[in-house]
Amino acid sequence: MGKSQQKKRQTRRHNPMRVPDSHLEKGLAAASESSRKNEAILPIIQKMESVDPTERKWACVAVSNLIQNDPSTRRLLQGKNVVGALITRLSDSEEEVVVEAAGALRNLCIDGGFDICAEMYNKNILAPLKTFIPKISTTLSQYLASPKSAPENAQKLIYEFADNVITILWCLSETSNKAMNAINQIGLIPFLMSFLGSRENLPISTVTSAAQCLYVLTDENPSAINELRADAAYTACLLSIVRPSESAPAVNGKDKEKAIERALALRVLCCGILRNISPIPPPSVAATVDLDRDVVLPTLEPVLSSISLPEMSRKAQELVEKEEFVPQLEKLSLKHTPKSDHRSESELELERLEQRLRTVQSALEILTGLCATLPDPTIPSDGPETAGDEDADDDMDAEDDEDATPDEENVLPSGSSTPAYFESLVYPLLGLIQPTPLSFPPLAGTSPHPPTTSALSAIHISALECLNNIFLSMATAAARHKLDIDVQNGYKLWHEIWRALGIVGTEISGAGQERRRDMWELAVGVLWGIGNIWKGSLPLENEQVDVLIQFCNATSDPLVKVKCIGTLECLAQHPQSIDGNRVISQYLLSLLPPTSSIPTEPLLQAASALIDVYSDETLPYDINFRQGRYLDALVASVEGVRKAVKSIDRKKERDLRIRGEEVKDNLVAFIEYRRNLRL
């Protein structure tokens, strides 16, 4: 299996966009045809420039309310330069207008995504934002030093304003490397860490936003990573949040439940920050801890089992049925000034439900990287192997065995050949990949509640990414140490992946169905990993083979084709499935030249697969090779394979060229071997 298939890190920064536009109906064309919306929006833009501060505030709040989950109105506003108008209001003479403008820009960032964030950056939103940082810091310091020095509503205002500014910076930092570099110049780390350091005296929501911003800033960003690493107080603070020693505050009822949930979200994010900046150097206390084993896994594993996705989906549907959530344009007027923080009970509950789902999603994102480096199931992960390791292993006596590291004890339960993380990690992940009725937009129309749908589908995707890395790591370890892992686990895993795909369905090409397609593309990688571990043991089902072949033909992504071919190769090696082996092998032969013109990487995978499947002529299904005259077909493909390999650029695709040369040489040698058998 190619190493390139194992995803140790996200190749793109975490997307702050709450709901992709494809999950929602009514695009720009449909919105432009609506004169009612156009007429209603114009006064809002005009009032943004009013001499009356009340009207300016009203306009900012109106924008904030109207854009939520409504891309058509959002795009109409964007066409009227609402972004530029709101950025101008950040320098308004009235404090409340500035606060509401920041709130509207925050909502635009979250609901609008990368395009609007890029527009904000290009229109120099960082200029006013930079001026807010020292002002917020000074005001917070005064409040913390003397809590009774300001009325409660003034404190609430500054906390919410800080939350809005931090969230905008978080979203902007995910827009592009250019934006990230500009934000690095602001020097946000001390500002953000001050919130975490004073967390006991600040609203948990604001502290969590600061942690979310830090999580993003430390994602493969050396400037922020080095600054956090260099301060032992910072890393000690992060560790103390993940492993709190103080008792929880005395809170009862719903408030207690909400406080516990938000505290968990904060701990999850701090786990992610610690992983982003590891290894942490001395003298920090965090340098003395095995972060993955002693901090990250114990914190995040329980999160995976903390919710039931079917139950969350059911609750969301019940809440949605209670009332209508889309703000009505015609109801907006100065006499009925909307409130940016107004939410009905159902809306607040839905928001809380979404936050719980996002906490699970964050935990999965962090685990994705860790799952790529899980310790081998039979050996302690106490350092790289050396040339003499194998000989040393042979000489180990019983006394040496007693000194096994905790890693070894945690990985394999006594008397079992199944890694311990099957129970704590793999099986909970299997539960998180199973779609619910709200997991994807309907094939026609939109989701009843797009934010919940977006969060659920993101969880399924992230859980599959974790499984993908786990099984690729396990396949490597199983091959290296000749492990014999309980085949019943293989059956269960295989069945659960296909059960999830059955719910996803095969209609994955329409607008808004991108997540269904993502599920298939990731699931095939997981199937390949499972197939490699239990190669030859998984029963071959004709319907599954047909679906994999159809998907391989339909996808335009060469790497997805490679995954499909790799999975088929594993299935073809079930000794008793002679008919299934014939179907798969004939398909693989059809991918070879001169009859095919598929991309080079899947071509190489198909050639390599046929060599592996028929490397043992004593297996029952080898009759297909002989009766089908596969040797002649392979001989005819050699020249085409040679040309394909030669076309690989040595400088741009060095690893692929090396693999291509290896496959070509193996093909020639395999043909010679089969000829000499004279079967």
Side-chain angles (χ1 to χ4, degrees), residues 246-290:
E246 67 271 11
S247 57
V251 188
N252 296 315
K254 275 191 174 182
D255 288 339
K256 179 179 181 181
E257 190 176 345
K258 189 185 299 182
I260 291 172
E261 288 171 3
R262 286 180 171 173
L264 177 60
L266 180 61
R267 290 176 64 207
V268 167
L269 289 168
C270 288
C271 278
I273 298 166
L274 286 168
R275 272 208 109 241
N276 284 348
I277 66 174
S278 63
I280 298 169
S284 171
V285 65
T288 65
V289 178
D290 184 330

Side-chain angles (χ1 to χ4, degrees), residues 576-625:
Q576 284 72 44
S577 299
I578 297 174
D579 290 339
N581 172 279
R582 183 186 305 111
V583 172
I584 293 173
S585 58
Q586 288 177 351
Y587 175 67
L588 296 178
L589 283 169
S590 75
L591 300 178
L592 299 182
T595 58
S596 173
S597 58
I598 63 169
T600 302
E601 200 161 354
L603 165 63
L604 296 174
Q605 187 67 40
S608 177
L610 284 162
I611 295 169
D612 287 346
V613 170
Y614 294 108
S615 60
D616 185 349
E617 68 279 2
T618 65
L619 290 171
Y621 58 66
D622 194 72
I623 190 172
N624 292 329
F625 188 93

Side-chain angles (χ1 to χ4, degrees), residues 631 669-679:
L631 185 59
F670 178 71
I671 289 170
E672 187 63 24
Y673 170 75
R674 294 295 310 208
R675 276 176 173 163
N676 291 337
L677 288 176
R678 301 183 184 281
L679 294 176

Side-chain angles (χ1 to χ4, degrees), residues 146-266:
S146 180
K148 296 181 181 179
S149 62
E152 187 177 337
N153 62 336
Q155 293 188 47
K156 183 173 182 288
L157 193 70
I158 191 65
Y159 296 149
E160 290 179 355
F161 182 59
D163 197 332
N164 289 336
V165 170
I166 290 169
T167 302
I168 294 169
L169 290 167
W170 149 38
C171 294
L172 288 174
S173 66
E174 309 213 51
T175 305
S176 66
N177 287 330
K178 191 176 179 181
M180 173 68 84
N181 292 334
I183 289 171
N184 282 339
Q185 302 305 311
I186 299 176
L188 279 180
I189 300 301
F191 173 71
L192 295 171
M193 282 302 305
S194 69
F195 287 88
L196 273 63
S198 303
R199 61 191 177 278
E200 295 176 18
N201 301 307
L202 294 172
I204 187 68
S205 58
T206 308
V207 176
T208 304
S209 293
Q212 178 70 70
C213 194
L214 278 167
Y215 175 46
V216 173
L217 285 174
T218 54
D219 182 12
E220 298 181 348
N221 178 22
S223 174
I225 291 171
N226 293 334
E227 189 171 355
L228 265 175
R229 265 187 194 155
D231 195 316
Y234 288 166
T235 51
C237 174
L238 291 166
L239 189 62
S240 69
I241 293 173
V242 179
R243 301 201 304 190
S245 56
E246 67 271 11
S247 57
V251 188
N252 296 315
K254 275 191 174 182
D255 288 339
K256 179 179 181 181
E257 190 176 345
K258 189 185 299 182
I260 291 172
E261 288 171 3
R262 286 180 171 173
L264 177 60
L266 180 61

Side-chain angles (χ1 to χ4, degrees), residues 92-169:
D92 199 280
S93 57
E94 291 291 329
E95 189 177 74
E96 288 191 0
V97 176
V98 174
V99 171
E100 295 299 348
L105 287 164
R106 170 196 179 274
N107 288 349
L108 275 169
C109 281
I110 292 178
D111 276 358
F114 289 108
D115 290 342
I116 283 185
C117 288
E119 183 184 348
M120 290 181 189
Y121 174 75
N122 291 335
K123 291 182 175 175
N124 202 24
I125 192 176
L126 288 181
L129 290 183
K130 278 190 273 191
T131 67
F132 297 146
I133 305 301
K135 293 177 182 177
I136 293 172
S137 294
T138 301
T139 306
L140 282 178
S141 296
Q142 293 172 350
Y143 288 172
L144 292 173
S146 180
K148 296 181 181 179
S149 62
E152 187 177 337
N153 62 336
Q155 293 188 47
K156 183 173 182 288
L157 193 70
I158 191 65
Y159 296 149
E160 290 179 355
F161 182 59
D163 197 332
N164 289 336
V165 170
I166 290 169
T167 302
I168 294 169
L169 290 167

